[in-house]
Amino acid sequence: MFSIFSKRALLALLIAAWPAAADTIVLRDRTVLRGTPEEGKKKGFKLGKRKFERSEVLLWENDEGRMTTVVPFVHQIRGYRALADAITLKTCLELLPEALAKKNADAMRTVLDRAESAGLEGKAAERWGRKLKGLARAKEVQPFEVPALDALETLLLERARIAREDKDETRALQLLRVALDESPEHAGVKAAFEKAAPADWPLGDRRNWLEWRLQVTSQRGTHMVRRSNYDREVAQTRWGGAKVHGVESDDVVLLTTLKDPLPVGRCVKLARLTCRALERIFYTHNPVRDDRDPLIIYLFEDKESYVKLSGGGGHLEWTLGHYSPSENLSRFYWMKRPDAMRTVTTTFVHELTHHWIERRNPRYTREVTMRNVQTPGYWIVEGFATFMQEGRYDVERSEWTHKNKHAQTLDIVGDLAERGKLLDWNRVYPLNQRDFHESLSKEFNVRPNLKWSLKHIGLSEVNLFYMQAGATCQYLFHAEKGKLREKLLNYVVAYYTNDATMTNVEEAFGMTPDELGEKVAAFAKSMR
């Protein structure tokens, strides 16, 4: 037995006839289907004469109200809205004749307005409108109380209850947040929120707690517990006594004075995603490092506090963040501008790559981390961090990929190679950290013609070093079907353990600096 209704007015009249034990499916065109679909011969499903694919589905639940097909949360909410409209419309079409019989024009007008907003078709609305006008001079008007037309709130609260039963607290709170946005004064919604939110939340009002819970600690993070209390006391001293709070997960301890959960949550998610990406790249069957201390991160509210509380002045004025090896922590600040997430992401990933490789890389132990300013091959430090920042990170879906054919390093190196504007590869690869800072110019002297960006940027020798180092990592990681990838990862280990023999490019890759540089340039040009 099944029912299919593509017109919501007809659907509302027949909802009562739906079979009890059946799925509810809402499609993108707001069509509501009710029944037990059968898998079609080709890709997709069939319910009576109606065929559809999973890509069309906004919401698919069983008769208990539990999802049988997982779709993005924003689609689910659209589905609940469509379903609530159908239920509301059915209720309104039952109430209109009753209000008319009572000759209560005010009640009838209220119900008709709600029915139209729920999707009552134009001709039906006109018919009821004419009947409403006929009540203008009605006598013997009888009282008629319009019941609460809160189908959406009821649906959301019921699904939140089911999610809590299924121990899916994040989904339950997501549904509660939508209900609060929809109807903050609804008695049931207010009661559910009052029950869920702690009365003594320290970071602003209780609504802030809900956002904090969803944006920050939904990624397996905990607010100010275990070792983060110690780190918080240290940070509070460094912050000059300001109220510092934090989030701890298995990967990071993030400490901040920011109370806005959006930037804090984005940074926590991005930090965890960066750690996960690096763990996947450097995975080994024989790890030699067994300590997994979380990376400590300071997130400042603005540039002024970042510079002042990081030691002040110097090169920090020109940075968005940095990793301090001597302190074993990374510092960043959040820019209050619309493109902050995109701008902060590259710096965040870059610096946390430095932090993770030195403190968490499973291929060598902390005791043998011996890199210093005289170790040759410094290109791998900045090159690998640049390679990582050019990956694609989706913090909302917790997805990451290192594949980026439009990487800026490849775009720049490909163009400048054709124009003969690159640094000499024999200069790039042997350089140590001290000579990098002392011998490379910071003056802008070249402007590449970019294919994959609208930006017009000027590059100094320092910038070019970063670009050529990053492009080298892109080549060694991706080219020749990954044949050189393990050698690249071994080079990282060699540099951080001060194995000077294996930081020699010829020993590590079997190519002279010129030969490797030519292959990198050719790879970059092929990507353009």
Side-chain angles (χ1 to χ4, degrees), residues 75-209:
H75 292 174
Q76 296 171 36
I77 297 305
R78 287 174 59 197
Y80 285 130
R81 289 186 188 280
L83 188 56
D85 279 347
I87 295 169
T88 300
L89 185 54
K90 173 188 178 294
T91 304
C92 289
L93 289 172
E94 292 174 347
L95 293 174
L96 282 170
E98 296 179 30
L100 180 62
K102 300 284 187 179
K103 298 182 180 181
N104 193 317
D106 290 339
M108 191 172 175
R109 186 177 294 106
T110 299
V111 176
L112 184 56
D113 287 345
R114 191 66 183 87
E116 288 187 84
S117 67
L120 181 64
E121 292 182 342
K123 290 183 179 180
E126 287 176 11
R127 286 197 303 270
W128 284 109
R130 287 194 295 269
K131 294 177 182 179
L132 176 59
K133 286 182 180 179
L135 296 181
R137 298 179 182 179
K139 297 179 180 179
E140 299 180 3
V141 176
Q142 299 179 46
F144 183 81
E145 185 176 349
V146 179
L149 298 169
D150 56 356
L152 179 60
E153 293 83 356
T154 302
L155 274 172
L156 293 173
L157 291 175
E158 175 62 15
R159 296 310 184 263
R161 182 192 64 78
I162 292 171
R164 203 165 281 112
E165 282 183 358
D166 296 339
K167 301 188 185 307
D168 188 350
E169 187 65 20
T170 296
R171 174 171 162 77
L173 292 177
Q174 285 177 320
L175 292 165
L176 177 57
R177 178 171 62 183
V178 175
L180 272 171
D181 289 339
E182 186 74 19
S183 303
E185 299 303 317
H186 184 277
V189 173
K190 287 176 70 174
F193 177 65
E194 293 294 323
K195 184 177 179 181
D200 57 348
W201 177 244
L203 301 179
D205 60 31
R206 296 168 77 187
R207 182 61 192 269
N208 175 276
W209 164 83

Side-chain angles (χ1 to χ4, degrees), residues 394-412:
D394 187 334
V395 296
E396 297 303 329
R397 297 184 180 180
S398 296
E399 293 176 352
W400 161 82
T401 177
H402 52 69
K403 296 177 181 178
N404 184 2
K405 291 183 178 181
H406 299 166
Q408 191 177 66
T409 55
L410 299 176
D411 199 3
I412 290 172

Side-chain angles (χ1 to χ4, degrees), residues 4 20 170 212 266 275 296 299 417 482 528:
I4 304 176
T170 296
W212 186 274
R266 290 293 181 89
C275 291
I296 302 172
L299 179 62
R528 301 184 88 231

